Amino acid sequence: MNRIFSGIQPTGNLHLGNYLGAIRNWVRLQADYECIYCVVDLHAITMPTEPAELRANTREAAASLLAAGIDGKSNILFNQSQVPAHAELAWIFNCIARLGWLNRMTQFKEKSGKHKDNASVGLYVYPTLMAADILLYKATHVPVGEDQRQHLELMRDIAQSFNSAYGVEFFPITEPLIMGEATRVMSLRDGSNKMSKSDASDYSRINLTDSPDEIAKKIRKARTDPEPLPGEVKGLEGRPEADNLVGIFASLADISRADVCTRFGGATFSAFKDELAALAIDTLSPITAEMRRLMDDPGYVDGILSDGAKRAEQMALPILAEIKEIVGFLQR
Ligand code: TYM
């Protein structure tokens, strides 16, 4: 059986990178897999969060997934904190994972900044909770953007280490699915930084809540270099901003970077940007409109999440019971 699990943090400012790197793939995978998608609110509190904002962001993330085409009825969409088994398994994994493994995590280094002693312990063990999310359902595949690759390698180490510590073949060796031409969308202001929810400049990213005018303006202002577009992919080397915009176009149009170069080779950026903006607006506007509609109906969104949580828990509890048996816990 093939089962997908993936998650997104409810930290606001969902952007084009989240959409092209993850959400759009999640929507497509629904045709071939049993899918479990999770708004990871336990992960969100690893950094300081306002309760009211967390609640609003959780609904907003769920609304954007539904608006993008996640089917919360035939698949599962829920927020993590409604299924306590995630936190229970994360504890067991905290006792499997080694300090040395966590010390290598680049995301912790980035997020904790210069003052590591002030980072929450939760931020440090973030990847063990992520491993628990996935393995609690024995998911076989995890669709993510490139930035999550290291976390998924750690998840596989934890699975293997658990299996060998207890002499069992219990957890599957789960595969990452890093798909498409936009696995790492970069900031529109700086081609060497990833597009991110936390970038101080709103011009660095296209938010899923942006209006068509905002999208057009951000693309027009996106940083480029003075050369025209290359006719071949090789010509994108050493040109991170050009490469990023070509990658975004390719992904939005569902074609390859090479196709984009063939079509636009020799064109100026201003001509290319007009077409890119039109394409981005065409893709995102219907999602934004549906998202707004859903945001006005929080009762509906909450209902999907709690129904999803119940079904997720039904899948998780028997697996967690087996894990507890393997570990040697006495159970009711
Ligand atoms: P998060 O919330 O940062 O991002 C959600 C998804 O969006 C992808 N992504 C990007 N893809 C391409 N370009 C970008 N600039 C970009 N920025 C973000 C991410 O790779 C991700 O797939 N730790 C995870 C959440 C998580 C999770 C899990 C994921 C918790 N438990 C279990 C998979 C399985 C995170 O912070 O994603």
Side-chain angles (χ1 to χ4, degrees):
M1 184 197 46
N2 284 323
R3 183 178 282 173
I4 296 256
F5 183 96
S6 201
I8 189 160
Q9 289 203 66
T11 36
N13 296 337
L14 258 63
H15 53 70
L16 186 66
N18 296 126
Y19 181 67
L20 295 179
I23 300 170
R24 197 180 60 163
N25 295 332
W26 299 3
V27 172
R28 293 179 175 181
L29 289 161
Q30 293 180 117
D32 300 314
Y33 293 83
E34 172 183 31
C35 296
I36 307 169
Y37 296 124
C38 185
V39 179
V40 293
D41 48 6
L42 298 176
H43 278 111
I45 65 164
T46 58
M47 300 291 270
T49 37
E50 284 289 329
E53 240 173 73
L54 178 61
R55 214 166 280 128
N57 286 339
T58 301
R59 288 191 178 118
E60 186 183 281
S64 64
L65 296 178
L66 292 169
I70 299 297
D71 182 345
K73 298 214 164 87
S74 51
N75 286 303
I76 292 183
L77 174 65
F78 72 109
N79 60 304
Q80 194 184 25
S81 62
Q82 291 203 54
V83 181
H86 287 247
E88 287 186 73
L89 183 56
W91 177 257
I92 295 173
F93 287 167
N94 281 339
C95 303
I96 293 283
R98 305 291 106 186
L99 288 178
W101 303 355
L102 290 169
N103 285 339
R104 286 196 287 275
M105 294 296 112
T106 52
Q107 186 168 302
F108 175 76
K109 289 179 197 162
E110 281 161 26
K111 287 207 176 171
S112 58
K114 288 197 188 102
H115 305 288
K116 304 242 171 316
D117 287 353
N118 275 336
S120 72
V121 174
L123 186 66
Y124 188 68
V125 295
Y126 181 114
T128 61
L129 177 58
M130 205 171 137
D133 295 339
I134 298 162
L135 295 169
L136 184 58
Y137 302 92
K138 292 192 168 181
T140 53
H141 296 85
V142 185
V144 288
E146 181 64 45
D147 61 342
Q148 297 301 315
R149 187 186 287 280
Q150 194 186 34
H151 285 156
L152 296 189
E153 277 162 13
L154 186 83
M155 176 272 298
R156 287 158 64 103
D157 288 343
I158 289 176
Q160 267 164 335
S161 200
F162 180 96
N163 285 349
S164 81
Y166 291 105
V168 290
E169 286 296 328
F170 187 74
F171 288 120
I173 301 308
T174 308
E175 295 292 334
L177 287 178
I178 300 177
M179 304 158 54
E181 289 280 350
T183 57
R184 189 176 174 81
V185 176
M186 307 307 277
S187 154
L188 299 180
R189 308 301 288 164
D190 175 357
S192 59
N193 277 331
K194 172 178 91 163
M195 186 178 283
S196 122
K197 296 171 191 153
S198 56
D199 196 314
S201 164
D202 200 51
Y203 277 93
S204 69
R205 66 181 161 262
I206 292 174
N207 300 304
L208 296 187
T209 49
D210 283 347
S211 67
D213 282 352
E214 284 167 316
I215 295 176
K217 200 159 148 198
K218 286 177 178 180
I219 291 180
R220 233 182 1 254
K221 283 180 176 271
R223 192 164 144 187
T224 48
D225 55 43
E227 303 296 317
L229 279 114
E232 287 178 24
V233 174
K234 233 166 82 78
L236 292 169
E237 273 168 30
R239 300 177 64 186
E241 283 85 14
D243 183 55
N244 189 36
L245 295 182
V246 167
I248 291 173
F249 192 105
S251 176
L252 284 168
D254 252 327
I255 55 180
S256 66
R257 273 177 165 71
D259 291 336
V260 180
C261 292
T262 311
R263 180 158 153 206
F264 289 98
T268 61
F269 270 106
S270 80
F272 172 71
K273 281 177 169 179
D274 285 345
E275 294 218 26
L276 177 58
L279 188 56
I281 291 166
D282 263 9
T283 310
L284 298 182
S285 293
I287 298 175
T288 308
E290 176 63 3
M291 197 172 148
R292 288 196 201 293
R293 196 186 67 75
L294 288 167
M295 295 288 284
D296 285 338
D297 194 355
Y300 175 77
V301 174
D302 291 5
I304 294 274
L305 292 175
S306 62
D307 172 62
K310 282 183 205 133
R311 287 185 289 128
E313 187 158 65
Q314 273 168 16
M315 287 165 79
L317 286 182
I319 298 176
L320 184 66
E322 280 186 77
I323 296 167
K324 288 180 171 174
E325 186 61 33
I326 291 169
V327 171
F329 292 151
L330 293 179
Q331 299 185 66
R332 265 182 287 176

